[in-house]
Amino acid sequence: MPALPTAFSSATVSRVALANAIANGLIVVTGGAVRLTGSGLGCPTWPRCTDESFVATPELAGHGVIEFGNRLLTFALTAVAIATVVVVFRSVRRDLRTLAVIGFLGIPAQALLGGVTVLTGLNPWTVAAHFLVSMVLVAVATILWQRSREPGVGQPLVRRPFVLLVTGIAALTAVVLGIGTVVTGSGPHSGDPEAGRTGFDPELVSQLHADVVFLLIGLTVALLVALYAIDSPGRVRRAARDLLIVQLAQGVVGYVQYFTDLPVALVLVHMLGAVLITAFTARLVWSVRGPASELPLSSATEPATAIR
């Protein structure tokens, strides 16, 4: 049996981290497909699929196959997360270990929360929590991948007001995602005909969601304009620009799906958009700090001197 390498290369760490980020995003989309096909209770119990069987039975028909298939994908995601932990711990990148462990521990936590979701008959609040934890894992996996491509985390590349604005955009993104789950929990795609709803007026919470999205886009535009005004590092400008593009695209999809009575295909695209919003927001947060080789941004040093 060949011996394991003494340490994995930075390139290997980065490739595995990218696979981990993609896997975390894909499982959100496939989970959305389960809900949108009405298969949320295709396996009516947990951890077994039925009281007598761990796998879907013929009596459960297509809904059982879809729900059980999504459960199987959790094992694939777990394998990728374990590989990420192993590769990171067998590399020189000690700074990545915490993120790798958080990403791994989030999977059993998600599995337990998914079990609670099934056992509570797809209670909209547990469904929302299940989705939001997935968004946290997407963000963690994205930052892990971005950091793995550089030798370490260095000093801020922009001044404190910009760092605070980026933090505010990240926090407001979390609010947008949270309100989005309330909109979903108040709408027609419950995952099963017998599943409960929040009881809120879908039109009212949709309007609130749209208002907060407008605020988020406005803050991102303000950030981007200010970054160009001070000739900031290119990595920060690109991260803000790309996030704004994704936000605008997501907004268009959201409006179209609302005024076309929430067709399943568009709702699924909107869920993919939520994953991308999370990933690109995490990338923006990552971008404001340079690699470990960067010098601190002193009062006498302009941001234009930072690496681009």
Side-chain angles (χ1 to χ4, degrees):
M1 180 177 178
L4 291 173
T6 55
F8 286 100
S9 67
S10 296
T12 299
V13 173
S14 184
R15 285 194 291 268
V16 175
L18 175 59
N20 184 51
I22 293 172
N24 273 281
L26 286 177
I27 196 120
V28 176
V29 177
T30 59
V34 170
R35 177 173 60 83
L36 293 169
T37 56
S39 305
L41 294 178
C43 285
T45 189
W46 188 90
R48 296 173 182 261
C49 186
T50 69
D51 291 333
E52 294 79 24
S53 175
F54 279 101
V55 301
T57 62
E59 292 76 17
L60 297 175
H63 291 316
V65 172
I66 293 171
E67 164 63 4
F68 181 69
N70 190 63
R71 292 189 183 188
L72 288 180
L73 288 177
T74 302
F75 291 99
L77 177 60
T78 302
V80 176
I82 291 174
T84 303
V85 171
V86 171
V87 168
V88 167
F89 272 77
R90 293 186 64 87
S91 74
V92 298
R93 297 299 306 274
R94 292 179 179 271
D95 59 302
L96 301 179
R97 291 182 175 181
T98 299
L99 290 173
V101 170
I102 291 173
F104 168 71
L105 294 179
I107 296 173
Q110 271 292 69
L112 291 173
L113 187 53
V116 172
T117 300
V118 171
L119 295 176
T120 56
L122 303 185
N123 180 286
W125 300 110
T126 58
V127 172
H130 194 48
F131 174 80
L132 293 175
V133 171
S134 289
M135 293 299 98
V136 172
L137 295 179
V138 168
V140 168
T142 301
I143 292 178
L144 171 61
W145 172 54
Q146 294 286 2
R147 285 188 178 179
S148 72
R149 303 166 66 202
E150 297 179 340
V153 181
Q155 298 294 325
L157 297 177
V158 291
R159 301 195 183 284
R160 182 173 174 78
F162 289 91
V163 175
L164 292 176
L165 181 53
V166 167
T167 302
I169 288 172
L172 192 57
T173 298
V175 173
V176 167
L177 293 171
I179 297 175
T181 63
V182 179
V183 175
T184 298
S186 307
H189 298 298
S190 62
D192 187 86
E194 302 301 321
R197 303 281 76 200
T198 64
F200 291 124
D201 181 357
E203 184 175 351
L204 181 63
V205 291
S206 295
Q207 183 61 58
L208 175 61
H209 182 59
D211 292 342
V212 181
V213 168
F214 278 127
L215 176 59
L216 175 62
I217 292 175
L219 287 180
T220 308
V221 169
L223 172 66
L224 187 58
V225 170
L227 288 172
Y228 273 95
I230 66 168
D231 192 25
S232 60
R235 64 190 266 155
V236 186
R237 293 200 309 267
R238 288 190 296 272
R241 177 203 63 198
D242 294 346
L243 174 59
L244 178 60
I245 292 171
V246 175
Q247 288 173 345
L248 292 173
Q250 177 75 332
V252 170
V253 172
Y255 267 99
V256 172
Q257 71 167 7
Y258 180 80
F259 288 108
T260 55
D261 296 325
L262 302 176
V264 168
L266 274 183
V267 175
L268 192 60
V269 171
H270 200 57
M271 288 197 67
L272 174 60
V275 172
L276 294 177
I277 289 284
T278 302
F280 277 84
T281 301
R283 178 188 175 214
L284 176 63
V285 172
W286 157 84
S287 72
V288 298
R289 300 185 73 91
S293 58
E294 284 300 299
L295 297 175
L297 187 64
S298 67
S299 58
T301 305
E302 293 299 323
T305 64
I307 187 171
R308 295 178 181 277

